[in-house]
Amino acid sequence: MHMTDYKAIDFFCGGGGMTCGLRQAGIRVLAGVDIDPQCKETYEANNHGSKFVEANIKELPTEYFKKEFSVKKDDDRLILIGCSPCQYYSIINTTREKSKQSKDLLMDFQRFVDYYNPGYVLVENVPGIITNKESILPVFLNFLAEKGYTTKYKVVDMSYYGVPQSRKRFSLIASRIDKNIDLPNPEEKQALLEDFIGVKNGFQPIKAGHKDETNFNHTVSGLNEICIKRLEKTPQNGGNRLSWKDDKSLQLKCFDEKDNSFKDTFGRMWWKKPASTITTKFFNISNGRFAHPEEDRAISLREGATLQTFPKDYVFKTSSIASTAKLIGNAVPPEYARRVGLSIINNSSNGTV
């Protein structure tokens, strides 16, 4: 990989999805910042040379990166990334009060943009950040405009950017030196499940409850007998729970008379479609369409990571299935991050700055 002279700081870095993708594009990521100490080992093990900074952004001194990493102000080759936790704006959010503290994290990120005045700014978030009446986004956009940044943003469906899942995200790119800056172009065709998982892609058939002791982590959560029977009755390649709704021994009370709601729950993925959005709960078939297209189980941790486009040798240093899935589900897909990184590099190398 050819390293350019671009450098980046990845705020709210989690397990390193954005960092991984930018590094693949040739951008040197100096540091990843996150409040969760459980991200550190995974982040540093896979992104050698990028330092994990465990910190609450609200308490992190603005000049920290100047002192610790010799980051200069007004550096045209500096990229600041703010993919803040976004439960407050998420349509699937249920704990609104708890998530309120995440609402204004973009303002905390803004403090660093204001101080360092980087050449580029990247933000990734849920689409709700555009539509929510209480969103802080208009304030942030106004701030960027006043600082002289050219800004482009839209909601992207990542299945058109090499990521095999129906994952719609708000994506923003801004530059104060490049008036022609833009997000990467979508492809005409979606990325499909069959091109990423399955036996031909190196995933051997396994049963529910399989534990993979290697770093490949083809580990899958266990299922009780009744759930296995439900899956056995769910048609392969896209079947759903309606196939056993009239079987009193299998139907759940909560689904009686509710054939049209939560149809994806206990559903199987399709080979020739993108996967469902990989959430932090993708290891559990009762949380969405997370069952394997053919095998009677949920997708494995490695399958989930692969659908998020993490490299197959990306090692998750965690203590449980749930903590691994959280790092995977919360990540910016590295392939999308790589394309965003290249859009910065290629745009400036074309003489359009």
Side-chain angles (χ1 to χ4, degrees):
M1 166 199 333
H2 169 65
M3 294 309 280
T4 63
D5 56 354
Y6 286 92
K7 58 193 91 63
I9 300 168
D10 185 2
F11 291 84
F12 318 104
C13 64
M18 175 65 90
T19 291
C20 173
L22 290 181
R23 286 168 56 109
Q24 287 173 343
I27 292 166
R28 193 158 59 95
V29 182
L30 303 175
V33 184
D34 205 284
I35 196 170
D36 183 0
Q38 290 192 22
C39 301
K40 177 182 170 73
E41 209 179 340
T42 296
Y43 183 89
E44 291 191 338
N46 295 283
N47 300 291
H48 300 293
S50 300
K51 185 162 173 48
F52 183 83
V53 177
E54 184 192 329
N56 179 345
I57 190 172
K58 292 180 183 299
E59 297 163 5
L60 191 63
T62 318
E63 63 276 9
Y64 176 84
F65 300 99
K66 187 167 107 179
K67 288 179 178 169
E68 298 294 325
F69 295 90
S70 303
V71 173
K72 295 179 173 62
K73 294 182 178 186
D74 308 316
D75 184 343
D76 291 353
R77 299 288 187 179
L78 177 64
I79 306 163
L80 294 190
I81 305 131
C83 305
S84 55
C86 42
Q87 297 94 327
Y88 190 79
Y89 303 120
S90 174
I91 52 168
I92 57 172
N93 171 51
T94 48
T95 53
R96 197 89 180 198
E97 283 305 311
K98 188 178 163 192
S99 65
K100 268 194 177 164
Q101 62 205 39
S102 74
K103 181 167 84 83
D104 297 337
L105 286 171
L106 200 54
M107 291 296 94
D108 297 298
F109 172 64
Q110 179 177 302
R111 169 165 62 94
F112 290 89
V113 176
D114 194 29
Y115 182 82
Y116 289 101
N117 199 35
Y120 298 86
V121 175
L122 300 176
V123 173
E124 195 255 20
N125 214 298
V126 292
I129 197 169
I130 294 181
T131 54
N132 189 290
K133 290 188 183 69
E134 297 176 58
S135 175
I136 214 82
L137 181 63
V139 178
F140 185 67
L141 292 174
N142 193 46
F143 156 78
L144 288 175
E146 285 179 356
K147 293 275 286 185
Y149 283 85
T150 299
T151 304
K152 298 284 174 63
Y153 66 87
K154 62 182 176 183
V155 173
V156 300
D157 179 343
M158 293 200 179
S159 66
Y160 290 96
Y161 296 83
V163 181
Q165 48 175 305
S166 305
R167 191 180 191 91
K168 290 190 171 67
R169 302 288 291 186
F170 168 83
S171 187
L172 175 149
I173 191 167
S175 176
R176 61 168 175 73
I177 53 167
D178 184 353
K179 301 294 181 212
N180 298 311
I181 194 66
D182 210 345
L183 291 163
N185 290 320
E187 294 179 5
E188 286 183 21
K189 291 185 174 170
Q190 291 177 296
L192 306 178
L193 190 79
E194 66 177 358
D195 295 322
F196 286 79
I197 67 169
V199 175
K200 68 175 183 179
N201 292 304
F203 291 92
Q204 294 310 310
I206 52 173
K207 291 194 167 3
H210 175 77
K211 193 163 178 21
D212 182 352
E213 302 291 354
T214 73
N215 284 336
F216 189 64
N217 214 347
H218 193 24
T219 292
V220 64
S221 57
L223 286 173
N224 61 26
E225 201 176 326
I226 193 166
C227 280
I228 289 175
K229 283 183 177 165
R230 286 174 181 135
L231 279 183
E232 285 172 350
K233 276 200 135 183
T234 304
Q236 293 187 350
N237 200 19
N240 64 28
R241 63 178 182 77
L242 299 186
S243 56
W244 39 265
K245 72 184 180 73
D246 297 324
D247 186 331
K248 285 191 166 49
S249 68
L250 299 180
Q251 174 70 321
L252 288 126
K253 293 265 187 293
C254 60
F255 290 142
D256 283 342
E257 314 287 317
K258 290 186 180 167
D259 289 353
N260 291 317
S261 54
F262 305 109
K263 267 199 288 202
D264 282 344
T265 308
F266 292 96
R268 291 186 185 277
M269 294 179 173
W270 290 269
W271 285 121
K272 292 193 179 295
K273 289 186 182 182
S276 319
T277 303
I278 299 300
T279 68
T280 58
K281 306 279 196 219
F282 72 81
F283 59 93
N284 189 331
I285 60 169
S286 66
N287 277 310
R289 191 179 286 275
F290 296 132
H292 190 277
E294 292 173 11
E295 298 167 40
D296 297 332
R297 60 175 180 83
I299 58 169
S300 74
L301 293 175
R302 180 55 62 185
E303 285 166 333
T306 300
L307 296 175
Q308 274 281 59
T309 66
F310 277 102
K312 283 187 182 164
D313 59 357
Y314 206 92
V315 181
F316 295 94
K317 303 272 193 179
T318 44
S319 55
S320 68
I321 286 178
S323 56
T324 306
K326 183 181 171 191
L327 286 188
I328 294 168
N330 278 336
V332 175
E335 175 57 20
Y336 182 71
R338 184 184 74 84
R339 293 182 186 210
V340 172
L342 288 177
S343 71
I344 291 175
I345 295 164
N346 294 339
N347 216 32
S348 58
S349 63
N350 289 341
T352 55
V353 175

